[in-house]
Amino acid sequence: DIQMALLSIALFGLLLVGVLYINSRQKGRELGRRFTDMKSLTDLIFDQMHTGVAAIDRLGTVTLANRALERILAARGMLGKSWDEISGGGPLSLEQLRRLMAAGGEQEITIRPDNHEIVLVVAVSPFGTAPGDSGIVVVAYDITRLREYERKALRRARLSELGDLAAGVAHEIRNPLNAISIAAQRLAAEFTPTENREEYSAFTAQIR
């Protein structure tokens, strides 16, 4: 009887372990599926952002980049490549980004990929475990269209001011001209010379 009881307990224990194992595997699969779905969604959002984002390790190699940044820099397949090679150096060089990060981390920068001017607001922040061994996260927002709207608005404002000025000048000119015209009409209508009438009429007409 004792052996049967021990055997029953052992079988129950094995059954319980089996149930727990199966349950844990199912939960593991579910967690794995959720993680995969979440990662897929995160990658999708990351790639569909309008703001360019890249991660650069301490050696200057791009370890992460989304499509928006590839579009801004007119580059493809940025992962694993040198940042300076992709950015073409200049205001977006790794050295300049590190200086920007030390100075506050945000600045408006103009670049010309493919001879096309693009105005960016660039923000830089460090990432990594050790301050001296950290990489850089670059966030670039394209404000080219906004700056173009501002230039057009400023041009419209200046043209409006010029129009107001021209209207004022025209008004200031027209007032004395009207007075001269009225005086010439009165001379022609109210005064008749005793001689040289034709010359007098031609002269007043010329004044008008």
Side-chain angles (χ1 to χ4, degrees), residues 28-147:
R29 290 195 198 96
E30 179 65 19
L31 288 174
R33 186 185 63 78
R34 290 184 180 180
F35 175 77
T36 301
D37 292 345
M38 186 178 299
K39 187 176 184 304
S40 298
L41 180 60
T42 303
D43 290 345
L44 181 63
I45 294 172
F46 182 69
D47 271 339
Q48 290 187 349
M49 290 171 60
H50 293 291
T51 302
V53 181
I56 309 166
D57 66 16
R58 63 184 182 85
L59 299 176
T61 303
V62 178
T63 58
L64 183 71
N66 65 350
R67 293 178 184 175
L69 190 63
E70 291 182 346
R71 183 176 63 253
I72 289 171
L73 298 180
R76 289 291 180 268
M78 295 175 61
L79 295 182
K81 294 183 179 179
S82 166
W83 171 260
D84 282 341
E85 179 185 343
I86 293 169
S87 66
L92 281 181
S93 68
L94 190 60
E95 181 181 357
Q96 291 296 330
L97 292 180
R98 284 175 175 154
R99 289 179 181 176
L100 176 59
M101 185 168 59
E106 185 172 312
Q107 184 178 339
E108 185 174 309
I109 293 174
T110 300
I111 62 173
R112 291 175 177 82
D114 295 340
N115 297 320
H116 178 65
E117 184 176 296
I118 297 177
V119 184
L120 302 174
V121 172
V122 178
V124 187
S125 58
F127 83 95
T129 53
D133 192 36
S134 64
I136 296 175
V137 173
V138 182
V139 178
Y141 185 71
D142 188 348
I143 59 168
T144 306
R145 187 173 297 179
L146 175 62
R147 287 291 177 263

